[in-house]
Amino acid sequence: MTVPYDARRSIASLVDQLATLLPGRGETLATAESCTGGLIAAACTERAGSSEWFERGFVTYSNAAKHESLGVDADLIERHGAVSEPVVAAMLEGTLGHSPADWAIAVSGVAGPSGGSADKPVGTVFIGWRARAAEPEVVRYQFEGDRDEVRSQSVVAALVGLRERIDAG
């Protein structure tokens, strides 16, 4: 799946859109980030007034952090790997379970330059979204580029995906 926006120019614009949409609906966002290391939370909180709609961010880079901070089952990580649809779905559940937020975004991937495999090459990123009253949606992306580019594309895809889901709801 490709991202329809230039990452470097669109992140601030996407955050501006969310900063209008979420408070207008009386809703908030929380994030759980692995390969993006807090970049989504940083992009959101860079905007003044974000405390009105950005609730919190979890940076769960290690498997232990995913388990301890979000309650992701260690056996689930062992069976599927941290970079997987089931683990990202569990990260979404844990994010909403450990916050009062209305929406959650979760990200786990292989940003590179190493760490990839035949099944999950560098650039493989799973991004998930969940509204509190809905089932999780997780999409597998295959991004191109270096570490910074993979991470930037992940941030854009996460924000675009949230915007699309808010618009659809």
Side-chain angles (χ1 to χ4, degrees), residues 45-69:
T45 59
E46 189 170 307
R47 188 179 196 286
S50 59
S51 61
E52 185 179 354
W53 56 274
F54 186 81
E55 210 287 320
R56 70 184 70 181
F58 298 92
V59 177
T60 55
Y61 202 73
S62 71
N63 292 345
K66 288 173 186 62
H67 176 69
E68 293 165 11
S69 298

Side-chain angles (χ1 to χ4, degrees), residues 22-127:
L22 287 168
R25 297 166 55 108
E27 295 177 339
T28 58
L29 169 66
T31 59
E33 302 180 63
S34 187
C35 69
T36 50
L39 291 174
I40 299 167
C44 291
T45 59
E46 189 170 307
R47 188 179 196 286
S50 59
S51 61
E52 185 179 354
W53 56 274
F54 186 81
E55 210 287 320
R56 70 184 70 181
F58 298 92
V59 177
T60 55
Y61 202 73
S62 71
N63 292 345
K66 288 173 186 62
H67 176 69
E68 293 165 11
S69 298
L70 300 175
V72 177
D73 189 316
D75 290 336
L76 186 72
I77 296 170
E78 180 67 30
R79 281 193 314 274
H80 299 280
V83 179
S84 66
E85 182 176 343
V87 167
V88 169
M91 290 170 68
L92 290 166
E93 182 177 339
T95 301
L96 292 176
H98 290 87
S99 79
D102 302 289
W103 288 92
I105 294 173
V107 180
S108 188
V110 185
S114 60
S117 66
D119 282 359
K120 299 172 189 170
V122 169
T124 302
V125 179
F126 287 86
I127 302 175

